[in-house]
Amino acid sequence: MRYLIASDVHGNLQALEAVLAASPAWDRLLMLGDLVGYGAQPNEVVERVRDLAPYAIVRGNHDKVAAGLDGAETFNPAAQHAAEWTRATLSEGNRAYLAALPRGPLIVDDRLEICHGSPADEDEYIFGEGDVAEALVRARQPLCFFGHTHFPMVVALTPEGDLDMLRQGAGDHDPVRFDGGVRLLVNPGAVGQPRDGDPRAACALFDGDTGEIRLLRMAYPVEEAHDRILAAGLPKVLAQRLLVGR
Ligand code: ZN
C-alpha cells in the first residue's frame, strides 16, 4: 500500500494540482489539515479534496477558524484577514465539509497515524527537541505524520531512547527506510505555503510494502498563486512569501 501524504494546502490550488500531477503512483491519500487559509482558492481546493475522497483526513487550525468552530484571535493580522476572507468566501457546503472534518490524531493502519499539530494536541507546534521527544512518546503508532509547522522533517526515536534527526528542511533527500524498532515522526512539509526557503510544493510518499519514506518537492506556477492572492485583495505578504518559500 502506497500512501501520498499532503498537509497545509492553504487554498493554493496550483500547488495541490502540481503535487497530484507529479507524484509517483499512490493508492491512498492522507491529508493532515489546513486545506484553507492564506490562499486565494479555498472553494476550489475543498472541492478538489472532496472529489479525491482522502482515505484519511484531519482538520487543521485554519480549517476550524474558516468553519466557524474557532476564533482567529491567536492569528497574526495577515492570517486573521485571510481567515475572515476565507470564512466569507467559502460556500455553505464547503464550510460544512470543513466543520465535519475529524480532530486528529487518527489511526490509519496498524503502524501509522496522522495528526495536524501533534499527537497530543491538534494546535500544538512541534519545533524543538523537547516537542519532538514528547510527540514520539505520545504517538500511539510507531509511524506518525504531522503538519502545522510547514517544515519537512523525519526524526527517529531509537530503541536506546535517543533522538536521531534523519532529514530536515529543503533539499532532495534520499529516502528513509521504516523497518520497525524505531519510532518515526515525519512532517511532509506544506503543499501550499512552504517555509523552509524552497518555494516548491512539499509532500511525502510512504510505501507500506518497502517501508520507504520519501520527502518530495514539486515545482508549480507560484506566480499564478501569488497573483490570485493579490487579485483577491488579500494581504500582499501572503503572496510574496510564496515566491521565496518563507
Ligand atoms: Zn498550516
Side-chain angles (χ1 to χ4, degrees), residues 34-108:
D34 279 1
L35 298 186
V36 302
Y38 300 131
Q41 292 183 283
N43 281 308
E44 291 84 345
V45 165
V46 172
E47 277 148 28
R48 187 72 164 104
V49 170
R50 292 171 75 170
D51 286 344
L52 287 163
Y55 181 74
I57 178 168
V58 294
R59 68 188 188 186
N61 51 319
H62 286 262
D63 301 325
K64 278 194 290 184
V65 172
L69 300 176
D70 214 347
E73 307 79 32
T74 62
F75 288 1
N76 66 47
Q80 227 171 72
H81 180 152
E84 278 151 20
W85 178 89
T86 301
R87 193 188 299 190
T89 300
L90 280 170
S91 71
E92 210 171 302
N94 289 335
R95 223 172 15 237
Y97 174 81
L98 293 178
L101 288 178
R103 173 204 304 261
L106 274 190
I107 291 182
V108 174

Side-chain angles (χ1 to χ4, degrees), residues 8 10 34 148 150:
D8 297 279
H10 284 293
D34 279 1
H148 198 35
H150 299 206

Side-chain angles (χ1 to χ4, degrees), residues 152-156 164-168 176 184-186 213 215:
M153 66 157 72
V154 182
V155 56
D164 193 0
M165 185 61 75
L166 300 174
R167 305 283 184 273
Q168 75 177 312
V176 172
L184 284 185
L185 196 60
V186 180
I213 298 166
L215 298 178

Side-chain angles (χ1 to χ4, degrees), residues 85-237:
W85 178 89
T86 301
R87 193 188 299 190
T89 300
L90 280 170
S91 71
E92 210 171 302
N94 289 335
R95 223 172 15 237
Y97 174 81
L98 293 178
L101 288 178
R103 173 204 304 261
L106 274 190
I107 291 182
V108 174
D109 66 21
D110 56 354
R111 293 182 297 177
L112 201 169
E113 76 179 74
I114 61 171
C115 59
H116 183 64
S118 87
D121 180 348
E122 61 184 348
D123 295 330
E124 183 178 73
Y125 289 91
I126 299 177
F127 277 128
E129 257 191 34
D131 302 338
V132 166
E134 199 198 326
L136 280 159
V137 170
R138 294 294 286 267
R140 286 173 295 169
Q141 298 290 31
L143 179 55
C144 175
F145 285 90
F146 73 103
H148 198 35
T149 62
H150 299 206
F151 194 80
M153 66 157 72
V154 182
V155 56
L157 181 66
T158 68
E160 296 74 37
D162 298 319
L163 290 182
D164 193 0
M165 185 61 75
L166 300 174
R167 305 283 184 273
Q168 75 177 312
D172 293 305
H173 301 290
D174 291 332
V176 172
R177 198 164 300 277
F178 171 68
D179 52 11
V182 296
R183 297 174 72 80
L184 284 185
L185 196 60
V186 180
N187 192 318
V191 172
Q193 196 199 72
R195 294 179 188 164
D196 59 357
D198 183 345
R200 293 178 300 167
C203 65
L205 209 69
F206 170 56
D207 186 323
D209 300 321
T210 64
E212 200 172 89
I213 298 166
R214 295 166 67 189
L215 298 178
L216 303 172
R217 298 309 277 255
M218 281 85 167
Y220 76 95
V222 182
E223 291 281 351
E224 188 185 339
H226 166 278
D227 293 350
R228 283 181 182 273
I229 287 174
L230 295 185
L234 288 162
K236 272 199 189 73
V237 62

